[in-house]
Amino acid sequence: MKATEKIKHLHLRAGFGLRPEEWAKKRKEPLNQQIDALFKQTKAQPFRALDFPFPKDPKSLSKKKRRELRKKSRKLRNQVNNQWVERMIRPKKESPLLDKMALFWHGHFACEPKLHHHAEEYLAAIRQHALGNFKDLLLAVSKSTAMILYLNNQQNRKKKPNENFARELMELFTLGRGHYSEQDIKESARAFTGWHCDPLQAQFQFKERQHDAGSKTFMGQTGNFAGEDIINIILQQKRCAEFLAEKLYAFFVNERQPNKKHISALADTIYNSQYDLQTALRFLFSADWFYDPKHLGANIKSPVLLLVQLARILDLRAENELAWLQPQQALGQLLFKPPNVAGWPGGRSWIDHSLLLMRLNLAAAIFEKTNIVFRPKDDPKAAGRGKGFRKLAVRANLAPLNKLCSQEKDILAALSDYLLLQAPKLSAPNFQAYLSLAQTKEEKIKAGSLLLLSTPEFQIC
């Protein structure tokens, strides 16, 4: 892999791609310096709290008022979504790796917060611990209101254990299927009894009267275990580090060609560092095999990565509160609404015939203000609401791109070098012929960008 390819590869995998002005500077910087920079400013800066405190006693309200209250809260959840996307586009004294990891954890700890303050609490947890220690993250998510309600731990009581959370804890969050027994699920569910929440205030509550304090046997160990003890025992299993390494490798390196040797090395790093996530990620981004040419363009950009990268390249500004929501929904990755607890499957599921067409038309919808079909992929009722034609409510600023290319003689080559990992399959003369129709340099930059951002090669990372 060439030096500039390594830089593009690193910033697409560890972040959301570089802005034009960042590319102008970083393409000449040493790679190790850029890896170091990813691990600075890793403390999450909080979002502005939404000015809508949930009433302490909504039961005193009429049914109609309570229905309106929940409707307004669900609508405000969209603002939390918008805040997060805006932060990915324009981070505030934060490494882009922080929100890339938060996005990874959102898929890993997939969860649908129903109300806005549940979403705020859940997002704060995954961002705060995104680059910390996995144990702290696991505890924080397990105690979040959103997860407790989503996996029914609110119904997990001493005399009637609910196994839903305990099962997913091992199957999806830590060990993977086949590495625990049904008895382990039953015993750990007993340990998590009493882990409840106050949904109105979005706060964890331990209800001692609902907790089963009796002796339990879990993975060969016996004691009066509480939920924290179960998590400690799980983390003692090397399998947990291996499970995390497999998922991190697929997300950051190659989702189609897992390499057992490299995954094993990553798992050793995770386990030996006692689940320190920065240690694990620094090892990954510094490994020679991370920059193997076969990984270049091996993954398909998720809808959120595609959208955020476009916004960073074109300095997009939202014109209304639906600007970031509609494309997420239409492309199949609406934040805070995963398809199920297993999260988004990723890979080729991001693209089918209609989704590819929509992806290829995004740039035209931005540049030309043309209509685009924003019909949610898995919404059977969508067809009944009309043809789904919408304009993308964003405004582009091409000044940074114009500045990047202002001194370039070959605009197409300069843009291709910045925007793509692989050269497009159409021949350069065809592209040049299209650019020749433009009159000014700015028009050529705009035409060239539209061409390259509409290629299949822009869909991969």
Side-chain angles (χ1 to χ4, degrees), residues 33-59:
Q33 187 176 319
Q34 300 192 44
I35 295 172
D36 288 343
L38 289 172
F39 294 93
K40 296 175 181 173
Q41 297 183 320
T42 55
K43 182 180 179 182
Q45 303 299 318
F47 292 105
R48 176 179 55 82
L50 298 178
D51 187 19
F52 184 72
F54 216 76
K56 291 184 179 179
D57 186 19
K59 289 183 180 178

Side-chain angles (χ1 to χ4, degrees), residues 235-427:
L235 295 178
Q236 289 168 9
Q237 316 302 312
K238 182 70 179 293
R239 172 58 201 163
C240 181
E242 293 168 351
F243 181 71
L244 284 181
E246 289 165 3
K247 295 198 72 171
L248 287 168
Y249 188 91
F251 187 82
F252 285 107
V253 185
N254 195 318
E255 59 196 0
R256 287 181 292 171
Q257 297 182 44
N259 182 303
K260 290 183 179 179
K261 182 181 174 183
H262 299 157
I263 291 172
S264 177
L266 180 59
D268 287 344
T269 305
I270 294 171
Y271 193 72
N272 294 335
S273 68
Q274 299 183 325
Y275 296 89
D276 183 83
L277 296 168
Q278 289 198 34
T279 301
L281 290 170
R282 185 181 282 276
F283 169 80
L284 192 154
F285 297 135
S286 302
D288 290 340
W289 45 259
F290 178 74
Y291 302 96
D292 188 314
K294 70 181 180 185
H295 301 318
L296 195 69
N299 288 359
I300 297 170
K301 291 174 186 170
S302 71
V304 170
L305 171 57
L306 178 70
L307 187 64
V308 173
Q309 190 194 6
L310 271 173
R312 288 172 61 78
I313 291 169
L314 302 174
D315 193 21
L316 297 182
R317 305 281 169 168
E319 293 182 330
N320 63 43
E321 61 180 18
L322 296 177
W324 304 131
L325 294 171
Q326 286 180 331
Q328 286 177 51
Q329 190 171 25
L331 292 169
Q333 192 183 24
L334 180 60
L335 298 175
F336 304 131
K337 198 162 185 177
N340 52 52
V341 69
W344 294 274
R348 291 191 177 276
S349 75
W350 294 133
I351 289 184
D352 59 21
H353 177 71
S354 61
L355 287 175
L356 178 60
L357 193 62
M358 194 185 303
R359 281 171 167 250
L360 299 180
N361 286 332
L362 270 180
I366 295 168
F367 280 109
E368 310 295 345
K369 290 290 182 183
T370 55
N371 283 325
I372 190 168
V373 178
F374 277 145
R375 182 176 290 165
K377 179 185 174 186
D378 299 317
D379 184 355
K381 298 180 181 177
R385 296 196 292 268
K387 295 182 178 179
F389 286 114
R390 299 280 189 282
K391 290 188 187 303
L392 192 57
V394 296
R395 185 177 66 258
N397 169 27
L398 298 188
L401 264 183
N402 289 336
K403 187 176 180 182
L404 177 70
C405 299
S406 62
Q407 303 301 318
E408 301 290 345
K409 291 182 180 177
D410 189 340
I411 290 172
L412 196 60
L415 285 171
S416 181
D417 191 37
Y418 165 51
L419 296 173
L420 302 181
L421 293 169
Q422 298 174 357
K425 289 181 180 175
L426 286 178
S427 63

